[in-house]
Amino acid sequence: MIPETDPKIIAAKLCEFARTNFVAEGVEFDEHSPLSQAGIDSFALVELVLFCERVLGVRVPDSHLTPTNLASMSSLANCISELARNAPKNS
Amino acid sequence: MSDLPRQIRLAPGDYFMHGQDRRMRQVGLPGNVCCAVIKLGNGFDAEKLRRKIAASPIMHWLARAKIHRTLPMAFPPLWRLAEKPEEIFFTHQNQNGVADHPWNLPPVVAARELDAARGPGIAFDVMRHADGTSHLFLSWNHTHLDARGLDFLLNHLNADETTGAPKAPNFISPKQLGSGLSGWWPNVKLARSCKKWLDESGADPLFSLLPPGPRPAACKNNYRLIFFTETETAQIDARCQQFNCAFRRSHFYLAASLRALHRVAVARGNKDGAYLIPVPHDTRKRGANGPIFSNHLSILFYRIEPKFAGSISGILGELSRQMTNQIRDKFPESCMAALDMFKPLPLGFYVDHLGKPTRGKFATFSFSDSGDTCAGMKDFLGGKILEVTHLVPAWRPPGLMIVFLRFAGRLSAQISWVDDCLNRAEVDGMERDVRQALLEELPA
């Protein structure tokens, strides 16, 4: 799988996944919504990380799950994009 | 609300909670009955609460719902409405003497009988104090609703006339309507993978708090409440960041609790017994207003070996690894499928089967993080909410339950234990260790 590197596309996919799986219908949520206020907990976080692995082709190590990277889907998308660009080409 | 059905299916978690209720009554405990203790300031209108309860179709439904079974082994049990509603609202005058801590649960509340098979499963006791404050004791059988459901229920009662009544889907999950038989067969494979996983994680040796010997006839639940100030709570949040678990605060609380128990286990001579901890997770979507009724949970099981249990960092590493593996393997779904499949079993068989993969040990202790409780509520029917505590009894087995919750930016923990499983000196030590781990521990 070729990892996705465009942060905008990544952010859109993350938001879509969140809306489908753990954010209730009618709740305002976009790539700039603070994740801490959206009720993202450990369970949802792991689901997000596994989604990144499975669909975006990027493994997000625990060390990258910092408050800065998890501020919003937009900041998480930037982190994933960077990881994707730095990933070995044959992985 | 005329669109509320007269009967619905049990959520998988409901029968599980009913099973725990049976286990507790077998050893003389009063059942799986929790109590939210809410201290309210001057101005709380108890009469208005009584009127709200009387006028709410949701409360009528809750007061009449009980578990009904037509034919065991053939059909799963159902929630069905009793013909007549039973009384669920009671007021008392200052019977517990003092309004401030420490206080004991008033005997009238402690003796409140709430049985899911007989109904009602919920009761409101209001205790008026001489200083104008009140305590609202909201007791509920865990079979009927979980902690988040209780929060929604309080919001429903607190809603003013302009907010409007919640719609039926906010009360009952649409998944509980209909027969549900079509989804039975595909669940078999999922359920088998759950059993295989539990067989492995429940392998001996496991540490258990239960004393050897036959089951006692009469046990007692005890409660210890640990309160943290706003400053201490902020300090604990900062510690979470240091341990890189700002979004996994529950893991930090669980690690602190497990290390405290590990010290008790080591003092008892445990060398290689692993710790098995089932942790429930709320399956409702974030920001949803319901459902209120039933237990909407999935469960993750953690098995922590003693070599990791002595350090917070070691436990956190294992929790993170095991949680990721379980979610990747879809364990929560298979666990719920297994619980759903077992529902047609008569309660005695069901309870027996629940403990089979772990040879009855089931858990070293129970742990739950209720998160923010009464979120967004400052007042309740005219009285400022001063304090909220949940008293959640320990099941036996395992004999120990630790519950964390937050109210108004203040964290609290409740340790409940069955008297033949832990002694007071051990609980004193656990309280010290939990405080130390949360407030002083530094990453390795």
Side-chain angles (χ1 to χ4, degrees):
Chain A
M1 179 190 287
I2 299 164
E4 179 58 64
T5 54
D6 184 340
K8 282 197 173 154
I9 295 175
I10 295 172
K13 285 188 174 177
L14 290 173
C15 284
E16 190 190 335
F17 177 75
R19 280 194 211 99
T20 311
N21 290 281
F22 44 77
V23 177
E25 215 174 290
V27 173
E28 276 184 36
F29 184 81
D30 62 25
E31 66 264 39
H32 302 297
S33 305
L35 293 190
S36 57
Q37 286 167 30
I40 305 295
D41 57 9
S42 54
F43 202 98
L45 183 60
V46 171
E47 285 189 317
L48 260 181
V49 167
L50 292 175
F51 172 78
C52 294
E53 257 181 54
R54 204 175 54 242
V55 177
L56 303 173
V58 182
R59 198 183 150 268
V60 186
D62 260 14
S63 55
H64 282 62
L65 300 176
T66 60
T68 313
N69 287 341
L70 294 171
S72 64
M73 288 302 190
S74 170
S75 54
L76 181 59
N78 287 333
C79 161
I80 292 166
S81 164
E82 203 173 311
L83 283 167
R85 280 198 299 270
N86 295 334
K89 291 285 178 253
N90 59 353
S91 66
Chain B
M1 200 177 292
S2 58
D3 52 350
L4 286 175
R6 287 192 60 79
Q7 71 174 36
I8 60 165
R9 286 187 286 131
L10 269 69
D14 294 348
Y15 206 43
F16 174 79
M17 289 300 173
H18 195 41
Q20 299 307 331
D21 188 272
R22 157 70 72 95
R23 279 181 180 226
M24 292 167 79
R25 288 174 200 265
Q26 283 171 340
V27 291
L29 294 168
N32 196 2
V33 178
C34 309
C35 185
V37 184
I38 305 168
K39 189 177 180 188
L40 296 159
N42 263 315
F44 165 62
D45 188 345
E47 182 53 28
K48 189 171 181 184
L49 174 60
R50 191 192 64 74
R51 285 198 307 270
K52 284 250 181 183
I53 290 171
S56 162
I58 282 178
M59 292 310 307
H60 277 267
W61 204 98
L62 257 177
R64 292 168 63 188
K66 59 181 184 178
I67 290 182
H68 174 83
R69 181 190 283 284
T70 42
L71 193 57
M73 305 299 280
F75 297 107
L78 297 165
W79 286 110
R80 187 175 280 183
L81 294 196
E83 285 308 314
K84 288 181 187 171
E86 292 189 53
E87 192 177 1
I88 57 168
F89 180 79
F90 310 89
T91 54
H92 316 274
Q93 287 298 319
N94 205 33
Q95 289 180 10
N96 64 337
V98 289
D100 294 321
H101 283 290
W103 42 259
N104 292 317
L105 202 61
V108 67
V109 177
R112 184 77 61 223
E113 170 63 14
L114 300 171
D115 189 321
R118 286 201 294 271
I122 191 160
F124 294 78
D125 286 89
V126 175
M127 193 75 68
R128 286 286 201 190
H129 302 295
D131 63 2
T133 61
S134 305
H135 269 107
L136 169 63
F137 300 97
L138 207 176
S139 314
W140 81 99
N141 190 305
H142 211 320
T143 313
H144 284 70
L145 61 161
D146 55 25
R148 185 53 54 94
L150 183 88
D151 233 29
F152 292 138
L153 185 67
L154 286 168
N155 266 296
H156 160 60
L157 291 170
N158 205 33
D160 61 31
E161 288 67 22
T162 56
T163 318
K167 302 275 181 287
N170 287 340
F171 178 57
I172 292 166
S173 165
K175 290 178 191 165
Q176 289 174 258
L177 303 172
S179 71
L181 293 175
S182 59
W184 195 84
W185 183 243
N187 281 348
V188 173
K189 197 178 158 200
L190 269 175
R192 275 169 58 189
S193 80
C194 164
K195 186 181 177 305
K196 182 173 174 287
W197 195 93
L198 276 177
D199 277 338
E200 285 166 14
S201 65
D204 280 330
L206 282 179
F207 174 71
S208 171
L209 286 165
L210 255 58
R215 196 166 60 197
C219 289
K220 192 173 165 282
N221 244 308
N222 302 277
Y223 296 93
R224 175 75 53 92
L225 300 173
I226 309 172
F227 290 97
F228 298 93
T229 63
E230 238 170 289
T231 313
E232 285 174 329
T233 304
Q235 207 176 323
I236 293 167
D237 288 349
R239 293 245 172 273
C240 285
Q241 299 215 4
Q242 287 174 349
F243 281 93
N244 196 27
C245 49
F247 279 82
R248 290 176 287 197
R249 290 196 296 221
S250 299
H251 280 189
F252 191 47
Y253 308 153
L254 174 54
S257 308
L258 176 56
R259 199 187 63 174
L261 180 69
H262 174 63
R263 289 180 174 172
V264 171
V266 168
R268 287 189 184 187
N270 181 49
K271 285 191 174 69
D272 53 2
Y275 306 98
L276 185 64
I277 314 138
V279 177
H281 287 269
D282 185 17
T283 56
R284 295 174 183 87
K285 287 192 168 180
R286 281 66 170 172
N289 293 320
I292 295 175
F293 191 68
S294 281
N295 290 272
H296 300 278
L297 50 85
S298 65
I299 303 172
L300 294 176
F301 279 80
Y302 299 104
R303 181 190 171 103
I304 308 291
E305 299 296 334
K307 65 180 174 188
F308 297 113
S311 97
I312 297 293
S313 301
I315 300 170
L316 286 173
E318 276 299 288
L319 293 176
S320 175
R321 187 183 66 80
Q322 293 185 25
M323 182 186 217
T324 305
N325 287 345
Q326 286 179 61
I327 296 177
R328 183 182 279 125
D329 293 347
K330 299 194 180 304
F331 178 78
E333 289 90 330
S334 62
C335 185
M336 286 303 105
L339 287 181
D340 212 29
M341 273 186 55
F342 281 149
K343 280 191 314 189
L345 291 178
L347 194 57
F349 283 147
Y350 177 82
V351 166
D352 190 46
H353 269 75
L354 277 187
K356 278 247 163 92
T358 57
R359 284 155 297 283
K361 286 183 180 167
F362 194 70
T364 304
F365 72 106
S366 318
F367 174 89
S368 177
D369 176 15
S370 300
D372 279 309
T373 193
C374 293
M377 287 171 67
K378 289 182 177 167
D379 303 284
F380 185 70
L381 300 177
K384 186 173 163 43
I385 303 176
L386 302 171
E387 197 170 89
V388 181
T389 310
H390 282 191
L391 301 178
V392 183
W395 304 331
R396 188 190 186 283
L400 171 67
M401 165 84 79
I402 301 180
V403 178
F404 280 81
L405 69 81
R406 271 175 190 246
F407 168 68
R410 298 191 301 270
L411 182 69
S412 66
Q414 173 231 258
I415 302 176
S416 56
W417 73 99
V418 181
D419 47 6
D420 70 332
C421 297
L422 276 156
N423 62 48
R424 260 175 212 284
E426 287 173 328
V427 176
D428 290 344
M430 283 190 70
E431 179 179 348
R432 269 195 310 276
D433 285 345
V434 167
R435 289 193 75 91
Q436 191 221 341
L438 293 179
L439 290 163
E440 297 165 25
E441 193 72 21
L442 291 171

